[in-house]
Amino acid sequence: MSGRAIRVLNVAEKPSVAKSVAEILSGRGGGGMRVRDGRSRYNRVFEFEYMIRNQRCFMAMTSVTGHLMELDFEERYKKWHSCDPEALYQAPVRKFVPQDKLDIRRTLEEEARKCEWLVLWLDCDREGENIAYEVIEVCTSAKSNLNIYRAHFSALIEREIHEAAQNLVRPNKLFADAVDARQEIDLRIGASFTRFQTMLLKDAFIIDLGEERNLVLSYGPCQFPTLGFIVERYWEIQAHEPEEFWTVNCSHTSEEGTASFTWLRGHLFDYASAIVIYEMCTEEPTATVINVKNHEKFKYPPHPLNTIELQKRASRYYRMSSEHTMKVAEELYQAGFISYPRTETDNFSPNTDLAGIVRDQVEHPVWGPYAQRLLDPDARLWRNPSNGGHDDKAHPPIHPTKFSTGQSNWTQDHAKLYELVVRHFLACVSQPAVGAETTVEIDIAGEQFQANGRAIIAKNYLDVYRFDSWGGSLLPTYTVGQQFIPTSLTLDSGVTRPPPLLSEADLLSCMDKAGIGTDATMHDHIKKLLDRCYATKDANTRFSPTNLGEALVMGYDDMGYELWKPYLRSMMEADMRAVSMGTKTKSQVLEICLQQMKACFLDARTNKAKLLDAMQLFFQRSNRPQGGDVNQGAVVRPCGACCESDMALKRTPNGSLMVGCMSYPLCRNVVWLPGSISEASVTNNICPTCTPGPVFMIQFKFHRLEIPPNYDVDHLGCIGGCDTILRELTEMCGRGPRNSAGTGRGQGGRETPRSTTSGTHSRLLSCKNCNQPGHSFDDCPSRFVNPRMPQSTNSNNGRYSDQLPCRQCGGPCVQRTANTENNRGRKFYKCQSENCGFFIWEDNILDNATGQGVGRACGRGARTVTASRSGRGRGRARGQRSANSDGVTFVTATGEPVSGRCYICGDPSHFANTCPERVRVDA
DNA sequence: GCAAGGTC
């Protein structure tokens, strides 16, 4: 038997689990435990005695609230301009306890010091195992020689919990490693792409989101595929070409009622064939019954409810957003009315007291009588719930845990969601609905038709699950061989319809199927798309991409990347499984995955013209200077002063340029650049002479009126000391801002506002492209805005006249407006010529330059049509890498091509510094 | 100002 009691610290993933486990282990329904507050107001400490394998234990049970730690870049990489986003693939990261979790850490440290064992009661999944190691790190830092165990439990029921306590195991580092890898990959990809695309696009275009906000164009491995689903469906709809089809229908009315027969061929697209068949039928219209089938059919109740189903059904039945559903469900859970709402499980464990849950509901005025019938064995309504096949081993399916007829503090949505959970549960333990179905097949002139009828024999679960319906009408009686003359026989036409926009339920299904997000985060990803203005949701909970969302996806798609598809996430998920099973190591996965993603990032940056092109389809170019975001932060050279960091090109808040050490303020090494520079961007060219290298050369552009006339405006220079031109200009024009040259301030020091002189000059200069003052050649809007381009492709108003020549027969096509349910208000053209029948939606018309009339949007499905909607060529000078005569390519830190042309001869293929006509004056 | 994952 036991000797001295050992002290055991137990930690659960959330306060509710700590309480439940403590109640079970302390016995007497929790009567044997004491409760005291911890440092955190939510995470209390429960104390009780317990025997683990004959060892007397003094148990202290507390909790965390999910992850205790966060992963982020080290301080010097946190600022957006602190480094090139490319560096985020190598930048050091650290895991730390954030401010709002410090009190939990303190509780854990204090309790750990008093204990000899640590038992981890985290959820039994990979995230839970990772949190376990976060707890271990904190606890062992306070007490290094803890004996550490893991309790494995699959449900918060007595037998499971005692078994877990008696069969403690060691934590599984592999599971935790898998999550570590996932976190690091998500962080590096997310931060690098987000910074890159935000800095590239936000100032380059006029993106009006209707409110003042600091625009962030985020990229994430979950949010983007989610957006991808929305855009893909949208493109599918746009690419849809309606096709007219023909169908023969038949009905027969007798004393018993009317039967509607549908054609077994379905429909034919060929009018001529359809009319031949139809005429055969009308010439010999006698129908002969060739088959009558009667069979019993069941409609089964749904599986037990998990989070995704709850969200989908609340969206379908109540049009509640998934995000709102989770908020309301969380509140019902907190108040004890429903079980834990974040669960994948759709299968009740055999130990669950299902009848007890039903019994709780018998007093309810609306569904109470149904619950009563369920419990009555004579009613034969009970059926054990089906198994949906998912089990997260941590939580049961969502079910009611407390009876209520509605609380005074409930909103309508609380009542509605509670009702859904209760009715769903009652339905799950009910018999399926039973129907008698009849199928009658007839033959008219060799063509077969069919009518279906259904009589409901027993509604069973449908009595309580009012959300499901199972309609059906009775058929008159027919016998095989019976003959009749149809009451009507018609040739009807129809038009194929595109699929509908994705509903919230559809979107959740897509995400679930592709493994995007978890049950606890899927609604967050959807909400993020709305918050970022990548998508909108209409009153029917259907999603459309915004211009911004579509442009981003289009840009990456045009690059040939499937960054917006779910494959990346699936691949990562497979890698995580491999790590957790030990077939790959965390470092292998991190190395390979990050290497691939970095290559992809660099490639995307090289091809960013595609992103700019796509944006340009939807947004007007802005005249805002982009230098502030685009050029800054690029590494120029290693710092020769501290020998630890790099020096990067930066612009101070007042606009002056410098190359400063990234370790500022620890290292204050700085090279100030002349005040006469208007633009500067770091190139990939390395100076052959300066050391320590590599010293990347910088492409400068000077204000014409601020430098002597014998100097070029464009100059590829080096800050390493070898560049005479730069040195001379610095001496002549002063360092840093023009009014405060040579004051010797450190970085970030207080600086005098920039003189208005240069601003005045730039206003006086005229654009070389359009001769208008107020902007430079590079910012000239008329270089980028194609006057024929619609500002928004969502509006085609006024793009076409109301009559155009038909491409098929040359006859007149007249514009009409659809008034069908799916296309109300949508304009289309229809050929007026007899026998032509040509038809096209206005928004599918190619906006081609020749304007030769309407024609079908040709090509290979959605993407071609989308690309063709722009009706524009590619191959503008800007957006392509420009090379000078030496074949040197100029790109900036974010890969921005250096635009412009030779100042001396005007040739865009080279810059003035390599112009053959250049007369050297800097002797 | 960036991700996704826990959770209050």
Side-chain angles (χ1 to χ4, degrees):
Chain A
M1 268 300 279
S2 59
R4 157 190 93 81
I6 50 171
R7 291 184 71 97
V8 180
L9 172 60
N10 298 269
V11 183
E13 188 158 324
K14 44 190 160 279
S16 63
V17 172
K19 183 162 179 267
S20 303
V21 172
E23 276 170 358
I24 291 170
L25 295 183
S26 62
R28 289 178 281 149
M33 69 183 188
R34 293 171 298 285
V35 189
R36 61 182 164 86
D37 285 337
R39 295 282 173 185
S40 143
R41 56 185 284 222
Y42 300 108
N43 308 82
R44 299 199 292 172
V45 185
F46 304 92
E47 289 176 332
F48 51 91
E49 291 200 15
Y50 187 70
M51 296 287 283
I52 297 177
R53 302 212 162 186
N54 289 334
Q55 169 64 57
R56 203 153 62 84
C57 300
F58 183 76
M59 308 277 268
M61 176 111 215
T62 187
S63 55
V64 287
T65 44
H67 276 287
L68 184 57
M69 296 181 165
E70 274 175 19
L71 185 74
D72 208 345
F73 296 107
E74 278 191 359
E75 211 51 48
R76 58 174 279 224
Y77 292 91
K78 278 191 185 170
K79 287 235 160 53
W80 278 40
H81 294 302
S82 64
C83 64
D84 183 331
E86 177 194 339
L88 298 178
Y89 286 90
Q90 303 82 229
V93 288
R94 66 187 185 98
K95 243 187 159 182
F96 61 99
V97 180
Q99 201 67 34
D100 61 334
K101 299 282 173 76
L102 289 178
D103 46 5
I104 300 179
R105 181 174 80 179
R106 221 173 129 195
T107 305
L108 291 177
E109 287 168 348
E110 285 171 5
E111 298 300 323
R113 281 192 200 106
K114 294 186 269 181
C115 291
E116 292 141 90
W117 287 15
L118 170 65
V119 179
L120 301 151
W121 293 84
L122 285 308
D123 289 357
C124 293
D125 52 22
R126 289 206 298 255
E127 295 294 333
E129 212 68 20
N130 190 270
I131 300 171
Y133 275 87
E134 294 172 355
V135 172
I136 291 171
E137 194 181 321
V138 165
C139 291
T140 53
S141 72
K143 184 160 189 189
S144 56
N145 59 344
L146 282 169
N147 203 350
I148 300 164
Y149 292 104
R150 180 81 162 94
H152 274 178
F153 58 104
S154 60
L156 288 170
I157 49 178
E158 236 174 284
R159 191 172 57 88
E160 288 266 354
I161 297 301
H162 283 296
E163 260 180 40
Q166 298 305 325
N167 296 288
L168 297 175
V169 291
R170 298 293 180 186
N172 183 346
K173 186 77 168 72
L174 296 177
F175 273 37
D177 280 352
V179 172
D180 278 343
R182 198 263 310 146
Q183 286 176 342
E184 193 174 327
I185 293 167
D186 283 346
L187 174 67
R188 292 186 190 279
I189 296 176
S192 58
F193 274 92
T194 299
R195 289 185 192 181
F196 157 67
Q197 65 185 25
T198 304
M199 293 194 279
L200 175 69
L201 303 173
K202 119 176 153 161
D203 285 330
F205 296 92
I206 299 167
I207 306 171
D208 182 14
L209 299 178
E211 54 184 293
E212 276 303 307
R213 61 160 84 195
N214 191 8
L215 186 63
V216 174
L217 306 181
S218 63
Y219 175 91
C222 285
Q223 51 177 280
F224 244 60
T226 307
L227 174 61
F229 291 128
I230 295 172
V231 174
E232 201 163 35
R233 173 58 63 89
Y234 181 73
W235 282 347
E236 213 179 306
I237 294 167
Q238 297 221 318
H240 179 79
E241 296 172 37
E243 251 189 295
E244 196 162 27
F245 59 78
W246 303 89
T247 176
V248 182
N249 292 305
C250 163
S251 77
H252 176 230
T253 304
S254 64
E255 287 169 0
E256 283 185 64
T258 298
S260 297
F261 291 86
T262 54
W263 199 15
L264 277 187
R265 285 185 196 268
H267 51 250
L268 290 183
F269 288 101
D270 181 30
Y271 176 72
S273 311
I275 195 113
V276 166
I277 294 171
Y278 175 66
E279 279 170 3
M280 270 164 43
C281 292
T282 51
E283 278 167 25
E284 276 183 67
T286 306
T288 307
V289 178
I290 53 173
N291 202 353
V292 177
K293 276 188 284 192
N294 288 303
H295 46 263
E296 203 174 46
K297 199 144 184 204
F298 299 96
K299 183 173 174 66
Y300 285 92
H303 295 307
L305 194 59
N306 63 13
T307 305
I308 296 165
E309 274 304 311
L310 175 72
Q311 292 174 5
K312 279 158 72 170
R313 286 173 192 263
S315 169
R316 223 179 282 142
Y317 307 148
Y318 302 138
R319 296 190 175 179
M320 271 163 76
S321 75
S322 50
E323 193 239 342
H324 184 60
T325 297
M326 290 315 288
K327 185 174 171 283
V328 174
E330 178 67 32
E331 284 161 6
L332 288 173
Y333 162 68
Q334 291 293 336
F337 292 100
I338 64 170
S339 62
Y340 190 67
R342 286 184 285 272
T343 175
E344 287 172 38
T345 312
D346 50 12
N347 172 32
F348 278 106
S349 115
N351 308 314
T352 317
D353 180 15
L354 299 169
I357 302 171
V358 175
R359 213 172 293 123
D360 284 346
Q361 298 292 335
V362 296
E363 296 301 322
H364 197 277
V366 181
W367 53 75
Y370 184 88
Q372 202 112 45
R373 264 173 63 209
L374 263 175
L375 294 171
D376 176 5
D378 294 336
R380 293 169 174 251
L381 188 55
W382 183 277
R383 168 179 160 274
N384 282 331
S386 56
N387 179 349
H390 301 91
D391 191 347
D392 62 14
K393 306 275 183 204
H395 306 286
I398 304 166
H399 62 273
T401 48
K402 191 156 79 180
F403 173 75
S404 176
T405 52
Q407 307 295 120
S408 58
N409 62 344
W410 280 10
T411 64
Q412 273 201 339
D413 288 343
H414 289 90
K416 278 152 95 177
L417 211 62
Y418 181 74
E419 179 182 346
L420 173 58
V421 171
V422 176
R423 287 188 187 268
H424 194 102
F425 175 77
L426 296 176
C428 282
V429 291
S430 299
Q431 289 289 340
V434 189
E437 289 199 348
T438 308
T439 308
V440 177
E441 265 177 55
I442 59 169
D443 180 297
I444 304 172
E447 288 300 304
Q448 273 90 56
F449 299 83
Q450 182 180 294
N452 295 300
R454 179 187 299 134
I456 295 184
I457 296 170
K459 284 184 78 179
N460 293 335
Y461 92 90
L462 289 176
D463 277 331
V464 73
Y465 208 59
R466 62 181 181 84
F467 315 107
D468 267 2
S469 62
W470 203 29
S473 57
L474 287 176
L475 275 188
T477 317
Y478 290 97
T479 50
V480 175
Q482 179 187 342
Q483 292 196 320
F484 59 87
I485 301 291
T487 313
S488 73
L489 196 57
T490 53
L491 179 65
D492 299 317
S493 74
V495 174
T496 57
R497 304 240 173 260
L501 289 164
L502 283 186
S503 69
E504 186 145 9
D506 296 334
L507 190 53
L508 287 163
S509 297
C510 291
M511 295 169 77
D512 187 26
K513 219 163 137 188
I516 303 296
T518 69
D519 49 321
T521 61
M522 280 157 70
H523 66 273
D524 282 336
H525 301 312
I526 296 176
K527 182 166 182 290
K528 185 152 278 174
L529 300 185
L530 301 173
D531 290 346
R532 296 273 188 236
C533 297
Y534 289 169
T536 55
K537 184 165 72 164
D538 67 19
N540 292 321
T541 80
R542 293 193 179 273
F543 288 86
S544 310
T546 59
N547 288 344
L548 181 59
E550 187 180 355
L552 291 173
V553 170
M554 191 187 279
Y556 287 113
D557 190 48
D558 286 348
M559 287 180 201
Y561 288 131
E562 299 196 317
L563 286 166
W564 54 283
K565 295 251 174 134
Y567 315 131
L568 171 67
R569 194 69 186 170
S570 309
M571 213 175 68
M572 279 169 61
E573 198 49 44
D575 275 344
M576 297 312 105
R577 271 196 299 278
V579 173
S580 59
M581 289 186 310
T583 51
K584 285 185 187 174
T585 66
K586 169 173 132 184
S587 53
Q588 272 173 341
V589 165
L590 274 175
E591 193 186 326
I592 294 171
C593 186
L594 288 175
Q595 196 180 15
Q596 288 171 345
M597 282 312 297
K598 184 181 171 183
C600 183
F601 173 81
L602 292 175
D603 224 35
R605 203 162 71 166
T606 309
N607 285 308
K608 70 184 180 304
K610 305 275 191 205
L611 215 45
L612 292 163
D613 281 350
M615 282 292 285
Q616 199 157 312
L617 290 179
F618 300 93
F619 298 98
Q620 215 178 346
R621 275 280 186 173
S622 97
N623 290 327
R624 283 194 298 278
Q626 293 159 49
D629 263 349
V630 174
N631 295 330
Q632 284 190 51
V635 171
V636 178
R637 67 173 308 178
C639 178
C642 69
C643 299
E644 280 188 354
S645 295
D646 290 325
M647 296 182 76
L649 178 65
K650 292 175 184 177
R651 197 187 280 272
T652 63
N654 74 354
S656 48
L657 280 160
M658 50 132 127
V659 175
C661 179
M662 289 166 120
S663 281
Y664 177 84
L666 294 176
C667 173
R668 306 177 82 91
N669 188 16
V670 63
V671 177
W672 288 97
L673 297 169
S676 47
I677 295 170
S678 68
E679 288 173 28
S681 36
V682 182
T683 69
N684 289 334
N685 303 331
I686 295 169
C687 173
T689 47
C690 291
T691 53
V695 182
F696 292 98
M697 299 180 79
I698 300 176
Q699 182 65 44
F700 295 106
K701 198 178 191 74
F702 295 97
H703 290 291
R704 176 75 271 174
L705 298 183
E706 294 180 13
I707 56 169
N710 53 340
Y711 285 83
D712 292 324
V713 184
D714 296 302
H715 173 64
L716 179 65
C718 172
I719 58 120
C722 66
D723 188 337
T724 335
I725 296 177
L726 189 63
R727 204 166 51 233
E728 287 168 0
L729 284 173
T730 309
E731 277 164 17
M732 281 183 273
C733 308
R735 295 175 175 183
R738 285 175 56 78
N739 279 4
S740 51
T743 52
R745 286 159 289 110
Q747 270 170 271
R750 232 177 129 73
E751 290 175 359
T752 331
R754 191 183 175 88
S755 151
T756 54
T757 323
S758 58
T760 312
H761 282 158
S762 68
R763 276 201 298 280
L764 291 174
L765 286 169
S766 309
C767 167
K768 279 181 253 164
N769 187 52
C770 69
N771 289 326
Q772 295 295 311
H775 61 259
S776 70
F777 174 86
D778 284 333
D779 295 325
C780 177
S782 50
R783 287 179 66 207
F784 309 119
V785 179
N786 178 345
R788 288 194 314 102
M789 279 297 304
Q791 292 303 310
S792 157
T793 53
N794 282 354
S795 159
N796 288 328
N797 294 342
R799 285 177 72 188
Y800 306 104
S801 66
D802 57 4
Q803 190 164 331
L804 289 170
C806 172
R807 179 173 275 182
Q808 203 157 287
C809 72
C813 275
V814 173
Q815 192 193 58
R816 296 272 183 265
T817 304
N819 196 28
T820 55
E821 195 187 337
N822 285 345
N823 290 297
R824 195 152 288 137
R826 195 173 171 195
K827 295 206 169 15
F828 64 89
Y829 286 85
K830 189 149 176 53
C831 182
Q832 299 301 293
S833 311
E834 252 182 279
N835 305 326
C836 177
F838 180 79
F839 167 95
I840 189 168
W841 294 110
E842 186 198 52
D843 44 10
N844 281 349
I845 300 173
L846 276 170
D847 184 15
N848 52 14
T850 51
Q852 53 190 291
V854 292
R856 278 171 193 264
C858 57
R860 48 174 180 97
R863 289 299 301 112
T864 311
V865 171
T866 310
S868 69
R869 283 193 304 146
S870 63
R872 50 192 273 291
R874 309 194 175 239
R876 301 172 286 113
R878 184 159 178 120
Q880 297 189 328
R881 289 164 76 96
S882 44
N884 68 6
S885 55
D886 293 327
V888 180
T889 305
F890 298 123
V891 287
T892 68
T894 52
E896 179 73 5
V898 176
S899 59
R901 54 188 68 201
C902 173
Y903 176 70
I904 297 167
C905 71
D907 188 340
S909 70
H910 63 259
F911 289 104
N913 58 341
T914 52
C915 178
E917 289 177 45
R918 182 176 184 201
V919 182
R920 297 280 299 179
V921 285
D922 54 343

